[in-house]
Amino acid sequence: MGWRRWVPGLAAIGQYRLAWLRHDIVAGLALSAVLLPVGIAYAVASGVPPTSGLYATIVGLLAYALFGPSRMLVLGPDSSLVALIGGIVLPLSAGDSQRAMALAGMLAIVSGSLCVLAGAARLGFITDLLSKPIRYGYMNGIALTVLFSQLPALFGFTVKGDGLLIESQSFLAGLLAGKTNGVSLALGGGTLLLIGLLRHSKRVPGVLLAVVSATAIVSALNLATEFGVMVLGPLPRGLPAVAVPWTGTDDIVPVLLGGFAIALVSFADTSVLSRTYAARLGERVDPNQEMVGLGAANLVAGLFQGLPISASASRTPVAEAAGAKTQLTGVVGAITVAVLLIAAPNLLRNLPISALAAVVIASAIALIEVADLRRIYKMQRWEFWLSMLCLAGVAVFGAIPGIALAIAIAVIEFLWDGWRPYSAVLGRVDGVKGYHDISRYPESRQVPGLVLFRWDAPLFFANAELFRDRVMMAVESSPTQVNWLVVGAEPVTSIDVTSADTLDELDHTLATSGIRLCIAEMKDPVKDKLKRFGLFSQFGEERFFATLGEAVSCYLKAHAVDWVDWEDQAQTDHDLVV
């Protein structure tokens, strides 16, 4: 693949069909009608000037068209990132718009750099470590945080505070103090209602229609002057220049933490959306290149006075419904927004802030997942409560600490099955081939003097002592004097130094009681590790068996057992496997 592996946009030019051109141009023009108000809305909600959202939209779409592998995805400022960006920008900028832009730009550069490095290192699988309940938990928490942060703007007033709890308290205090602007609330409520009514329409862009209607009403009735309705105001004319968004040394830690959280969330959203559309188009998207494409888009956005961006689950369907065929749709949309910034920067100067809040609230509501959580509650309640814990973490501690809590929970969840795995003593069940858990089959029989013990996890430092304890419990619980203990090691996919030492100690402990420790069904890569650790030669090859049936057969040859059918059945089991 060479350079085509890293720049799929250039490679796609040679495969472009002229018949797609008309569709891409029309779809790009339709898409731009949504890019403009949404880009502004998410920027304002994130605590940065509205132009930052448009700059990020323009350069992000152009960069992704070059480096992104999906030919359908639309990138831009997104509701899932609003709480993360605002959690860093708002408290650190203290109302200084230039500082806010610098902080947002550096967040984009940090998150973009992390994505590019992770993609180049082929770490595109890392978001798979976050289970679905955990993703639902932090996204629901972010959605509620964003929703409550926008309620004061919807009601026509402003509050001070950061985080869901403080903002909700400040909002209620403002309501009780009579700060609500009824006209602003009517405009915002009407915008929200119209977006909701048209959210499933593929032909009518609900966001555009709602925002244009609210702007037209404010302009026609002079509501900003007559009733104090807060409006967007004129936008600066022109396009951004390249500028490194320098921040102070005191900002390094929060920006790095925020950039990491943004990279994680944005790639999780982007990868899921990318896979969805790839499956719909019968294609396959490389997750590592997807990470590079997302990272490149964020890097460029940060250098052009923008804010962090992600794939959009609301704008991508707009492009699809308009007939988009390739990323040229995004390029056309970006150029259209750029032309509007140059030629008509005052187009939305009377756009009410409450309408922008309604756009963000509508997107936040769309993030909330309830139906699938009900299903998870019925299937496995502990995973449901994990999701609720992640939600509470975001709500109580804020978006960044909440994401850190979600990651910590994901790691604990990932390790738990290996840390405290299932194990079983095995026996023979009449009429059923093989050897089975005696706790599940009370009627099963054990070979006198032989304990068959299965360990259902890799052996590593965290579960080594538990492995030893359970083996000793199996010996103590045996109804007969134990001569051999055979570990069924097929589920053991790895072993480390700590667990190897524990296995060595266990062998010596059992040997002092006259018990021979054997291992069956161990995979060759795990055996190779035992050879490096010196345990394989210490045990001797004769103590390793290909199957449990072979181990039982060998035991029966060495020890007299009253039940005649054991030897025949053990040999049959071994022959079936071989």
Side-chain angles (χ1 to χ4, degrees), residues 520-562:
E521 301 179 339
M522 178 169 278
K523 295 176 174 61
D524 287 338
V526 184
K527 278 186 185 178
D528 292 340
K529 285 191 174 183
L530 290 185
K531 290 176 182 177
R532 290 201 304 272
F533 298 156
L535 275 183
F536 189 86
S537 58
Q538 178 181 317
F539 278 35
E541 190 171 355
E542 67 278 3
R543 283 206 264 169
F544 290 84
F545 301 97
T547 67
L548 285 172
E550 181 186 1
V552 173
S553 180
C554 188
Y555 173 80
L556 292 173
K557 290 177 182 178
H559 297 80
V561 175
D562 294 337

Side-chain angles (χ1 to χ4, degrees), residues 197-473:
L197 291 174
L198 297 175
R199 70 184 184 278
H200 295 305
S201 175
K202 292 186 177 182
R203 294 185 176 275
V204 181
V207 172
L208 176 65
L209 183 60
V211 167
V212 169
S213 299
T215 304
I217 292 171
V218 171
S219 300
L221 301 179
N222 197 22
L223 297 181
T225 302
E226 297 293 332
F227 294 94
V229 173
M230 293 186 292
V231 295
L232 181 65
L235 299 175
R237 185 185 297 272
L239 299 176
V242 176
V244 178
W246 298 113
T247 56
T249 55
D250 293 340
D251 303 328
I252 292 175
V253 172
V255 166
L256 287 176
L257 292 176
F260 175 78
I262 288 167
L264 186 68
V265 172
S266 60
F267 181 65
D269 286 351
T270 301
S271 62
V272 169
L273 198 60
S274 178
R275 287 197 298 263
T276 300
Y277 278 93
R280 191 177 299 177
L281 296 170
E283 300 174 347
R284 183 188 177 278
V285 173
D286 180 1
N288 299 300
Q289 185 58 37
E290 192 66 78
M291 196 171 254
V292 171
L294 175 65
N298 271 285
L299 272 172
V300 176
L303 291 172
F304 280 88
Q305 303 174 46
L307 72 162
I309 59 177
S310 176
S312 171
S314 59
R315 278 152 284 173
T316 303
V318 171
E320 181 191 29
K325 300 297 181 184
T326 69
Q327 280 296 332
L328 182 59
T329 294
V331 173
V332 172
I335 293 173
T336 304
V337 173
V339 169
L340 289 172
L341 270 177
I342 296 171
N346 294 327
L347 186 65
L348 296 176
R349 68 181 184 279
N350 286 323
L351 170 58
I353 298 298
S354 60
L356 290 176
V359 172
V360 178
I361 288 172
S363 297
I365 292 173
L367 286 177
I368 297 174
E369 177 58 54
V370 176
D372 211 26
L373 280 175
R374 288 198 192 112
R375 181 180 65 88
I376 292 170
Y377 180 80
K378 294 176 182 177
M379 292 170 57
Q380 189 145 269
R381 292 192 179 181
W382 71 267
E383 288 202 86
F384 170 83
W385 291 115
L386 272 182
S387 184
M388 294 299 101
L389 181 60
C390 288
L391 189 157
V394 174
V396 174
F397 301 112
I400 304 298
I403 293 297
L405 177 63
I407 293 171
I409 292 174
V411 172
I412 293 171
E413 181 188 16
F414 175 72
L415 292 176
W416 181 257
D417 286 341
W419 190 15
R420 290 294 183 267
Y422 190 78
S423 60
V425 174
L426 308 179
R428 161 68 59 196
V429 181
D430 290 336
V432 183
K433 290 184 175 65
Y435 299 89
H436 304 278
D437 186 350
I438 63 173
S439 66
R440 299 295 181 97
Y441 295 90
E443 72 279 12
S444 61
R445 299 177 295 159
Q446 292 180 256
V447 183
L450 174 65
V451 173
L452 300 176
F453 177 82
R454 190 186 71 220
W455 181 252
D456 291 346
L459 261 175
F460 66 110
F461 64 92
N463 63 23
E465 284 301 316
L466 182 66
F467 169 78
R468 181 187 181 283
D469 293 343
R470 289 190 182 173
V471 166
M472 297 307 297
M473 286 175 58

Side-chain angles (χ1 to χ4, degrees), residues 38-252:
V38 170
I40 291 172
Y42 293 149
V44 172
S46 300
V48 298
T51 49
S52 291
L54 300 181
Y55 296 159
T57 298
I58 294 168
V59 298
L61 285 172
L62 295 176
Y64 186 81
L66 190 62
F67 295 101
S70 172
R71 58 188 181 93
M72 186 60 68
L73 229 55
V74 175
L75 267 64
D78 194 64
S79 56
S80 64
L81 303 182
V82 165
L84 297 172
I85 300 169
I88 299 296
V89 169
L90 290 172
L92 293 180
S93 64
D96 185 338
S97 61
Q98 292 301 314
R99 181 161 162 72
M101 289 179 67
L103 287 166
M106 188 54 72
L107 284 172
I109 289 175
V110 169
S111 62
S113 300
L114 289 172
C115 284
V116 170
L117 291 174
R122 308 191 70 79
L123 298 178
F125 63 89
I126 58 174
T127 55
D128 294 336
L129 299 179
L130 295 178
S131 67
K132 185 179 287 186
I134 289 176
R135 288 204 306 268
Y136 287 159
Y138 74 69
M139 289 308 299
N140 284 347
I142 285 175
L144 290 177
T145 301
V146 172
L147 193 153
F148 275 89
S149 72
Q150 295 303 298
L151 283 178
L154 184 72
F155 279 70
F157 61 91
T158 58
V159 298
K160 292 183 179 180
D162 183 33
L164 176 59
L165 297 180
I166 296 176
E167 287 178 339
S168 59
Q169 291 173 359
S170 300
F171 170 66
L172 290 174
L175 283 181
L176 295 176
K179 292 184 178 180
T180 301
N181 184 310
V183 178
S184 292
L185 177 59
L187 289 167
T191 302
L192 186 60
L193 179 62
L194 190 55
I195 292 173
L197 291 174
L198 297 175
R199 70 184 184 278
H200 295 305
S201 175
K202 292 186 177 182
R203 294 185 176 275
V204 181
V207 172
L208 176 65
L209 183 60
V211 167
V212 169
S213 299
T215 304
I217 292 171
V218 171
S219 300
L221 301 179
N222 197 22
L223 297 181
T225 302
E226 297 293 332
F227 294 94
V229 173
M230 293 186 292
V231 295
L232 181 65
L235 299 175
R237 185 185 297 272
L239 299 176
V242 176
V244 178
W246 298 113
T247 56
T249 55
D250 293 340
D251 303 328
I252 292 175

Side-chain angles (χ1 to χ4, degrees), residues 26-37:
V26 171
L29 294 173
L31 179 63
S32 65
V34 180
L35 295 176
L36 195 67

